[in-house]
Amino acid sequence: MVNVRPSLTTRIGQLELAYPTLMGSGCYGTGEEFAPFADLRKIGAIVLKSVTRLPRLGNPMPRIVHTSAGMLNAIGLQNPGIEWYLERELPKYSGRPCKLVGSVAGFSIDDYAYVTQRLAARSEIAAIELNVSCPNVASEGETFGCDPGLTARVVRAARAGTDKTLIVKLSPNVTDICAVAREAEAAGADALAVINTVRGMAIDVEAWHPRLANVSGGLSGPAIRPVAVLAVYEVAQAVKIPIVGQGGIETVTDALEFFLAGASAISIGTANFTDPRVPERIVAELEAYLARRGCASIDAIVGKANVGFATPHQYEGDEG
Ligand SMILES: Cc1cc2nc3c(=O)[nH]c(=O)nc-3n(C[C@H](O)[C@H](O)[C@H](O)COP(=O)(O)O)c2cc1C
């Protein structure tokens, strides 16, 4: 047992966080909606909703549906566009008692470069997260984050526009997430967020049509957690930069899985919709866990999952 209080401070690139907990983009608004229910001093940072160069109305409704396996969303990046955002919205956020991370989305390399440079220039913004799960209009709508080379071009363009910490948020909807991770690191990313939502679809069996107007959407919540834990574990072997683990975190046990798999910090998204006190509870319980295990800091458990405990593989594949 250690007698001192374990330290939860974390560093992601140059971003220093009092707590290793970020609030997922699109899941915590600007913090304002949560302030009456949650103590914003007890969270590391809020990742703001992704912003694009031009305003977007988003997809037609319904664009969020509940399934027994989690939440399916196809918001379609609704936002007022970077000019309005900088002029009218960002100034209102400056009094937040936690760090703010700006999230950039785009439909061309130039979009990412422009929005990153504009957003990062603002003092309210401590770091930038690149949401690369967007279609590239110059390449028949191919998702940037699904192609390692395209991801690298986005990261290089954004990197040229700022010295602030650049976090690249990886999509799980790829064959080899490590290939994308390596390219993002080589192109100048300071950290990786692992993972964004998993593509999915739900069908109304009485009406015989998709439940989302957009047909498909992104699945989030506990169902994607094992997918995310494995992605964090594999990406942590592939790169040296820190990882912000996310996907279905609801409890301290969930959070611990991510740290042990190799994440230096975690992000909480969907859980906030049902219980705004989840982040606070996780922080308190993390501290208690570290104290109980005799760990002086959160760093002591990062990547410490002992994979050598298993008996040698008898089969080549995972399944069956
Ligand atoms: C309603 C909703 C909106 C989201 N909007 C964004 C977004 O604008 N940009 C982004 O990078 N991720 C967005 N996400 C993804 C989350 O930030 C998070 O990475 C993902 O949901 C997995 O974590 P979770 O299972 O804890 O929610 C959104 C998720 C939800 C549920």
Side-chain angles (χ1 to χ4, degrees):
M1 289 289 279
V2 281
N3 294 324
V4 287
R5 235 175 144 179
S7 165
L8 290 179
T9 58
T10 306
R11 218 183 143 92
I12 301 291
Q14 304 160 55
L15 179 68
E16 288 191 15
L17 301 173
Y19 299 100
T21 46
L22 290 85
M23 302 302 111
S25 176
C27 299
Y28 210 75
T30 65
E32 189 179 357
E33 301 85 341
F34 286 82
F37 314 103
D39 186 351
L40 300 191
R41 291 168 306 182
K42 288 282 170 60
I43 63 177
I46 300 170
V47 184
L48 299 167
K49 175 78 187 159
S50 296
V51 62
T52 52
R53 189 173 196 148
L54 298 174
R56 290 176 59 82
L57 286 172
N59 289 327
M61 313 261 184
R63 51 195 194 178
I64 287 189
V65 299
H66 174 77
T67 78
S68 56
M71 185 189 277
L72 205 50
N73 93 80
I75 306 293
L77 294 170
Q78 181 184 346
N79 79 93
I82 188 67
E83 303 309 331
W84 180 280
Y85 190 82
L86 294 179
E87 204 178 302
R88 310 280 185 103
E89 297 210 354
L90 208 48
K92 293 190 274 182
Y93 311 161
S94 58
R96 296 281 180 276
C98 58
K99 299 266 167 77
L100 297 179
V101 176
S103 170
V104 174
F107 302 96
S108 67
I109 305 280
D110 194 49
D111 276 1
Y112 281 101
Y114 180 77
V115 178
T116 299
Q117 188 258 319
R118 296 292 312 275
L119 195 53
R122 293 291 291 259
S123 60
E124 297 93 332
I125 296 295
I128 295 287
E129 185 171 275
L130 295 177
N131 173 2
V132 290
S133 298
C134 302
N136 177 11
V137 288
S139 164
E140 293 174 354
E142 183 187 6
T143 303
F144 287 100
C146 292
D147 180 305
L150 261 181
T151 304
R153 286 177 61 201
V154 170
V155 177
R156 272 197 296 273
R159 181 75 288 170
T162 184
D163 290 330
K164 286 187 180 167
T165 299
L166 203 55
I167 305 167
V168 180
K169 186 167 183 177
L170 302 185
S171 168
N173 305 313
V174 294
T175 311
D176 182 4
I177 197 168
C178 293
V180 189
R182 279 190 217 99
E183 286 293 324
E185 179 183 45
D190 297 304
L192 300 171
V194 180
I195 55 172
N196 209 325
T197 52
V198 176
R199 291 189 70 216
M201 178 181 184
I203 296 174
D204 183 326
V205 299
E206 294 304 329
W208 294 14
H209 62 56
R211 292 178 62 202
L212 284 171
N214 187 57
V215 180
S216 66
L219 184 67
S220 61
I224 72 168
R225 193 170 55 244
V227 177
V229 171
L230 176 63
V232 167
Y233 172 71
E234 291 187 336
V235 169
Q237 319 299 309
V239 299
K240 294 198 169 57
I241 52 180
I243 297 170
V244 182
Q246 58 204 276
I249 297 176
E250 292 186 325
T251 67
V252 71
T253 309
D254 303 339
L256 285 164
E257 282 196 69
F258 281 85
F259 288 113
L260 292 167
S264 298
I266 55 153
S267 176
I268 302 160
T270 305
N272 288 305
F273 291 107
T274 43
D275 185 351
R277 295 209 172 89
V278 163
E280 234 171 293
R281 200 176 308 129
I282 287 180
V283 159
E285 293 178 8
L286 257 184
E287 200 175 88
Y289 175 90
L290 293 175
R292 180 164 61 80
R293 301 295 298 241
C295 302
S297 74
I298 189 75
D299 293 344
I301 67 167
V302 172
K304 290 293 161 63
N306 178 11
V307 295
F309 93 100
T311 50
H313 280 299
Q314 297 187 11
Y315 306 104
E316 285 299 305
D318 288 333
E319 302 92 356

